[in-house]
């Protein structure tokens, strides 16, 4: 029996969660992701929708969901619709600071809901038009919030991260640890504090 259910098909979240040593199954949530909320509120609302949708299918099990948005001035940059949209996003981010918000939601075995928000500031170096077009041609930006992946090719354009690198990738491990502890689930690689 797995320790929990990850309500996401994201390979990045799967890789990060596997670092904890916990066993988990995957049941990706299919929810309406449209919202008129600002970026911070949107990620909290969307991760909650995902967690509750999966928890309804698996009563009595711990569920973990997350949602990540890139934003500038609290205006969210989701996944690009096409190559032109990816180029537009990257032009907007080039040479500037922006925020990456990741909301995390857990549902405990007894149905308690715990949510939290991770915020990181990310700075892109100036990207030339050739840099942008070459990067978009790799295909990497097409399924990523903000049209880039910190852990991928885009890492060469990111000059500084202030915050949680795992949060920028899609699952902030310190926050995830805290919320799973609230559900009574201890991460095996972390020794419990004896009182």
């Amino acid at each position: 029996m797995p320790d929990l259910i990850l309500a996401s098909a994201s390979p990045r979240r799967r890789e990060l969660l596997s670092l904890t040593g916990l066993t988990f199954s995957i049941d990706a949530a299919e929810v309406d992701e449209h919202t008129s909320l600002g970026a911070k509120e949107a990620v909290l609302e969307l991760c909650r929708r995902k967690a509750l949708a999966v928890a309804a299918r698996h009563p009595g099990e711990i569920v973990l969901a997350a949602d990540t948005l890139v934003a500038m001035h609290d205006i969210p940059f989701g996944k690009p619709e096409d190559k032109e949209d990816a180029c537009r996003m990257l032009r907007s981010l080039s040479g500037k600071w922006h925020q990456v918000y990741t909301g995390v939601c857990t549902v405990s075995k007894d149905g308690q809901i715990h949510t939290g928000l991770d915020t990181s500031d990310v700075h892109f170096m100036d990207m030339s038009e050739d840099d942008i077009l070459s990067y978009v041609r790799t295909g990497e930006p097409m399924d990523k919030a903000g049209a880039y992946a910190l852990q991928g090719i885009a890492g060469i354009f990111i000059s500084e991260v202030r915050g949680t690198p795992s949060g920028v990738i899609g699952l902030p491990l310190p926050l995830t640890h805290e919320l799973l502890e609230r559900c009574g689930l201890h991460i095996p690689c972390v020794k419990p504090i004896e009182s």
Side-chain angles (χ1 to χ4, degrees), residues 14-95:
R14 184 173 59 241
E15 288 167 16
L16 288 166
L17 186 57
S18 69
L19 297 175
T20 66
L22 295 168
T23 60
F24 57 94
S25 61
I26 295 170
D27 185 2
E30 303 266 339
V31 299
D32 177 10
E33 294 197 26
H34 291 93
T35 176
S36 59
L37 298 170
K40 288 185 214 178
E41 294 81 14
V43 293
L44 289 169
E45 173 62 25
L46 294 173
C47 72
R48 184 180 167 94
R49 285 181 197 174
K50 292 174 183 180
L52 291 175
V54 172
R57 297 194 293 259
H58 302 276
E61 298 201 44
I62 296 172
V63 173
L64 169 69
D67 194 79
T68 302
L69 281 174
V70 170
M72 193 176 283
H73 311 297
D74 205 36
I75 298 168
F77 288 40
K79 295 177 184 177
E81 295 177 9
D82 53 30
K83 290 180 179 180
E84 289 297 319
D85 196 30
C87 289
R88 178 192 61 78
M89 289 184 193
L90 292 165
R91 285 183 198 109
S92 296
L93 298 174
S94 176

Side-chain angles (χ1 to χ4, degrees), residues 10 12-13 15-17 19 43 65-71 98-104 116-122 144-146 148-151 158 161-177:
S10 163
R12 293 159 300 282
R13 290 193 181 110
E15 288 167 16
L16 288 166
L17 186 57
L19 297 175
V43 293
D67 194 79
T68 302
L69 281 174
V70 170
H98 65 274
Q99 289 67 50
V100 178
Y101 300 111
T102 299
V104 180
L117 176 70
D118 181 83
T119 304
S120 294
D121 296 314
V122 179
K144 311 291 188 299
Y148 75 90
L150 170 72
Q151 74 282 12
I158 295 170
V161 175
R162 295 178 187 161
T164 314
S166 59
V168 178
I169 296 169
L171 187 66
L173 293 175
L175 177 58
T176 299
H177 174 237

